[in-house]
Amino acid sequence: MDFNDLYDTHAMDVYKYIYALCRNKHMAEDITGDTFLSAIQSIHKFKGDCTIRVWLCQIAKNKYFNAAKRNKFTTPMPDDLPEGEHFTIRLHDKTRAFEIHKVLHTLNEPYKEVFSLRVFSELSFAEIAELFGKSESWARVTFHRAKSKIIAKTDESPRD
């Protein structure tokens, strides 16, 4: 497999995935580069049990969580959120968006990651299921539970 083709085809997907986790442009760029370096070094280990894209995202996720443990950091809150019809929960204003991100930040895994993958990375339930090695139904239920937790906690929050 040609490295340039692999990178050109999948780099943006890996970057978006990691950016959805860390919300830090520079970190996402670094982890994306490290991911492809590791992938090229271990391409012989790719068994074909999943798509190459999913395999790359799994490598990237491991790199992100290893960096998080090593540096003891947490996912920062973004200053701005893109708005669009694809969002399940409409983010009408910056204050409301920040409330949602504060709640999202407190969720346990896998809720936090599944919600982020679905909303911010715009992955399908099938793709999320493949990343976790679970069923598409599991991905749908996990997303729905995460969304319900966010809605419940943001509805509890006092508003000015």
Side-chain angles (χ1 to χ4, degrees), residues 77-94:
M77 295 294 116
D79 291 332
D80 294 301
L81 292 175
E83 291 195 5
E85 293 300 322
H86 62 277
F87 279 24
T88 303
I89 299 174
R90 294 285 296 160
L91 304 176
H92 294 290
D93 59 50
K94 193 172 182 177

Side-chain angles (χ1 to χ4, degrees), residues 74-75 77 98-109 111-113 146 149-150 153-154:
T74 58
T75 304
M77 295 294 116
F98 188 67
E99 285 178 31
I100 291 169
H101 270 277
K102 285 194 306 190
V103 172
L104 178 62
H105 185 68
T106 67
L107 293 182
N108 292 325
E109 295 297 347
Y111 302 111
K112 179 180 179 177
E113 186 174 359
K149 288 173 188 269
I150 291 169
K153 288 184 178 184
T154 55

Side-chain angles (χ1 to χ4, degrees), residues 64-157:
Y64 170 72
F65 285 123
N66 287 340
K69 285 179 192 172
R70 191 172 48 251
N71 298 315
K72 295 184 172 124
F73 62 82
T74 58
T75 304
M77 295 294 116
D79 291 332
D80 294 301
L81 292 175
E83 291 195 5
E85 293 300 322
H86 62 277
F87 279 24
T88 303
I89 299 174
R90 294 285 296 160
L91 304 176
H92 294 290
D93 59 50
K94 193 172 182 177
T95 303
R96 182 75 172 149
F98 188 67
E99 285 178 31
I100 291 169
H101 270 277
K102 285 194 306 190
V103 172
L104 178 62
H105 185 68
T106 67
L107 293 182
N108 292 325
E109 295 297 347
Y111 302 111
K112 179 180 179 177
E113 186 174 359
V114 169
F115 185 87
S116 293
L117 290 171
R118 180 69 179 163
V119 174
F120 302 115
S121 295
E122 301 179 32
L123 294 184
S124 70
F125 290 116
E127 291 168 323
I128 294 168
E130 192 174 346
L131 273 173
F132 281 89
K134 305 275 188 178
S135 70
E136 192 171 331
S137 294
W138 174 89
R140 287 179 187 280
V141 168
T142 304
F143 174 75
H144 177 72
R145 288 178 180 163
K147 183 175 80 169
S148 296
K149 288 173 188 269
I150 291 169
I151 290 169
K153 288 184 178 184
T154 55
D155 286 344
E156 291 172 4
S157 301

Side-chain angles (χ1 to χ4, degrees), residues 21-89:
L21 292 176
C22 70
R23 307 304 290 176
N24 180 302
K25 178 184 172 189
H26 299 293
M27 182 181 292
E29 289 170 352
D30 290 345
I31 291 174
T32 299
D34 290 346
T35 297
F36 281 90
L37 179 61
S38 292
I40 291 303
Q41 292 171 342
S42 60
I43 194 74
H44 63 281
K45 293 180 184 178
F46 178 65
K47 298 175 186 160
D49 296 343
C50 58
T51 66
I52 193 84
R53 177 175 172 254
V54 168
W55 182 67
L56 290 166
C57 286
Q58 288 170 338
I59 293 170
K61 180 173 90 170
N62 290 337
K63 290 201 167 289
Y64 170 72
F65 285 123
N66 287 340
K69 285 179 192 172
R70 191 172 48 251
N71 298 315
K72 295 184 172 124
F73 62 82
T74 58
T75 304
M77 295 294 116
D79 291 332
D80 294 301
L81 292 175
E83 291 195 5
E85 293 300 322
H86 62 277
F87 279 24
T88 303
I89 299 174

